[in-house]
Amino acid sequence: MTIENLIKHSNAKPGKLAVNVHKFGGSSLATSECIERVIDIICRHCQINDIVVVSANGGVTDQLFTLCQLAKDDLSVEEPLESLQFQLQGLIAQLLNEQNSAYLTQQLHDDFQLLSSWLATDVKSHRNDILAFGEIWSARLLSAVLNERICPSHAVDARDFIQIQSEQNTAVNYDISRNQFEQIKQAHQLTIATGYIARDLEGRSCTLGRNGSDYSATIMAALTGAANVTLWTDVDGIYSADPRIVPAARKLHRLPNGVARELGRLGNPVLHVNTLKPLDEHATHLHVASSFDSETSGTEIGKFGFLAKQELSVTYSNDVLLVSSEQLNSMTLSEATERFSPICFDERNALMVIKQEQQKTVSQWFASKVGEVTFKPVAIIAAVGHKVASRGDVKARFKRALENTKTLDIVSSTSEHSIISVLPDTCSPELTNLVHHEMTKDAKHIGVIVAGLGNIGERFLEILPAQIKNQSVLENVHLVGLLSSQKALINTDGINPKHALVQFEKQAKDYDEEQLLTWLKSHPYDELIVIDITPSERFSLLYREFFKEGIHVIGANKWAASSSTEYFNGLTALAAQNGSVWLGNTTVGAGLPVNFAINDLRRSGDEIGAISGIFSGTLSWLFEQYDGSQPFSKLLLSALEQGLAEPDPREDLSGRDVQRKLLILARLAGFTLSLEDIECQSLVPENLSHLSTQEFLAQADELDQPFAEELERAKEQNNCLRYIAKFTIEDGKLNAKVGLAFVDLEDAFANLNPCDNIFKVESQWYQTNPLIIQGPGAGRDVTAGGIHSDLVAICEQLSTKQHQVKIKGINE
Ligand SMILES: Nc1ncnc2c1ncn2[C@@H]1O[C@H](COP(=O)(O)OP(=O)(O)O)[C@@H](O)[C@H]1O
Ligand SMILES: N[C@@H](CC(=O)OP(=O)(O)O)C(=O)O
């Protein structure tokens, strides 16, 4: 546990540092283990002048409501009171040392005496004082634990500074509240404030409504001009439906303000209806994250572009009432909607739907206007998304999903961010799943980042627009990043691939790996694919970080696939563990389907016994051409001039590249080996190996004599020279080698087109007559095409992948 953030700033001048507000919901404070987790988060994420807002420990508010109801009905409260006190006493004893525990126990005891007396004598007028205890106990306990173990902290009762108009009208009096807060706040101490409660103009205790601590958090952010508010809860973000009910729900990485507001308005528990109100005039960043998985990025709420506006979610409520009356006319209805902001209303059918807790006030108001109105318990289910009410396709899908369900009405909300169906019966989990499926079935968004904008990268991007248009599996693919070794262009709303390179030229900025990883960790896509078209070993070292985040990799880069056995196995295990797909079709033979063929054979139950061939286009060309009519060095220089060889041709002649390719294929064929297990014959004599490139090229004619002699000997046996890679497995023993070999003039290896690669696979099924794959093993089009083939393959796999919802209690 680190308390650096807290300690580092404990002497800083208050007001010098940006304030952050952290709100922990009841579910995050339900048990002593949960509270330990919260303390850990505070240590890692809070600074001393931040504000921590707490809800009552999980379930406590419900119990306080039950107590009030029992007392109101003149029923015995003894047992539930005892059980609540026992629960809270348990938390105190588990978290504090003896002395502090004794102190808090005494305070709790006093509170329970007061609570009992209120329940016995005047529950009606003390109802909110009773409900307030939940948050008071929770704040007091957390503050005591922090004081004992971590940093100075003080618990504050929000009723001592937040002033609202009334329980019904929770608008805040900011000037007074701010002043009062200034007086209460203590420098160099972490403030632990109660959520959910406030006082009205008359000084009476009020609550902000169920789940109201989110609102408390944003009120406090507005009072202090906080930079960030994080709502820590038991789910790692806001999902496209309640993930406890809809296992296929998708995380909404970015939620536009208006849509978030609408979700809260419709009673979605993850965001209180008023949460966003205090932030209207502030540039405060709002974020929902899981206290059970604090490193996973959650949902950002703010202003976003096109993509976030496309997202749809489904929410429902079974706690609503249909208000209807024969006397209800459009005048009274419009007056009533103005006054009560109902969940929805329909002037045509003279009805409106309200929350259960509004019944009393609504009933009184109507009684004074039109006489009796009837209240009928109903349910609602809604499709929510930016301006969905004006999206015909969304409406049509919503109606289709409800085709076989009895509905009383379908209406659009005033904000146009939801279409709401009023149901006469409760909304079942089956219906929620069905509607969610219909609304989101094709909504998976895949982000693609291209690293390496060389020859192949450029070609890949040229082909991308047509591919996205023509391959249906790519329809939700968005190019979101371009990286060169120094510069990056990242745009979460997508980069038009048609203008990608021009935009890169104009807008790319210097970046470092840390910045890249920070962005990748919070990317707003369902899936993210990094396409590595770099030759960089350093970039390949980032794969570990990518896999940790569940990001997929298409690697044309050979480094990772041919790394040491330990590293490679660690990488593949990490990818599997996090659901990352790693493809590298183009690491060997460019676009030739050799990797696919090997995979396919293995899937069919075949066992591979040997793979051999010519895997280097450069060496293929050189030895195809080399018939003795001109010296070897002359051919080498000509290859260099034609761009067929690396700038330093020793990289080709060393055989290291072929050795890596053989390793990749052998691993693909199911064998465990590393580079050292493959014997590699370098064609560069020792005396030329340490020279500079220029010196080497100047002395390249020293190669001529030895090659001429080799060729002569091959010819004597009616053979030719080829640089061959081969591994075989015989009696369980692996034999792997790359080097110069004599090849019969009739052999397939001796008769290739210039630059071609050839792969010969011998297996159980292909024993006597091996499988041969032959064709260009390098080149702009075929390699870019091979990467596109990997992209389609990954997207096909991902289209059936279900996202694991991270929610405490379901898959903790
Ligand atoms: N669309 C949604 N996205 C995320 N969570 C949702 C959604 N709809 C309902 N929920 C539920 O809301 C719960 C969080 O609300 P709540 O229990 O009030 O949290 P807290 O105790 O942290 O305030 C989650 O456990 C989740 O099951
Ligand atoms: N404790 C109050 C306020 C609140 O916001 O709770 P939570 O953060 O657990 O939703 C309630 O249960 O309504």
Side-chain angles (χ1 to χ4, degrees), residues 762-787:
E762 291 159 67
S763 70
Q764 237 175 310
W765 311 153
Y766 291 87
Q767 218 159 38
T768 46
N769 196 3
L771 172 69
I772 300 238
I773 296 169
Q774 176 186 340
R780 212 169 173 250
D781 284 345
V782 288
T783 313
I787 298 169

Side-chain angles (χ1 to χ4, degrees), residues 480-519:
V480 292
L482 298 174
L483 308 173
S484 69
S485 52
Q486 267 130 33
K487 294 208 178 279
L489 173 67
I490 304 271
N491 185 343
T492 27
D493 278 328
I495 300 165
N496 183 344
K498 284 188 189 145
H499 312 127
L501 289 170
V502 179
Q503 269 191 13
F504 184 82
E505 279 303 310
K506 285 194 191 143
Q507 296 166 12
K509 297 206 169 67
D510 287 346
Y511 78 104
D512 59 29
E513 282 164 10
E514 206 177 313
Q515 285 169 312
L516 176 67
L517 292 175
T518 310
W519 183 82

Side-chain angles (χ1 to χ4, degrees), residues 23 25-27 55-56 61 135 196 210-213:
K23 177 255 170 176
S27 55
S55 299
T61 307
E135 271 62 21
Y196 186 50
R210 291 313 303 264
N211 304 324
S213 304

Side-chain angles (χ1 to χ4, degrees), residues 23-29 53-62 64-65 131 134-135 195-197 207-216 232-233 269-272:
K23 177 255 170 176
F24 293 95
S27 55
S28 301
L29 297 160
V53 178
V54 291
S55 299
N57 303 103
V60 169
T61 307
D62 288 343
L64 292 169
F65 266 100
L131 295 175
E135 271 62 21
Y196 186 50
I197 50 178
T207 77
L208 302 175
R210 291 313 303 264
N211 304 324
S213 304
D214 296 343
Y215 182 31
S216 308
W232 294 95
T233 180
V270 81
L271 273 181
H272 182 262

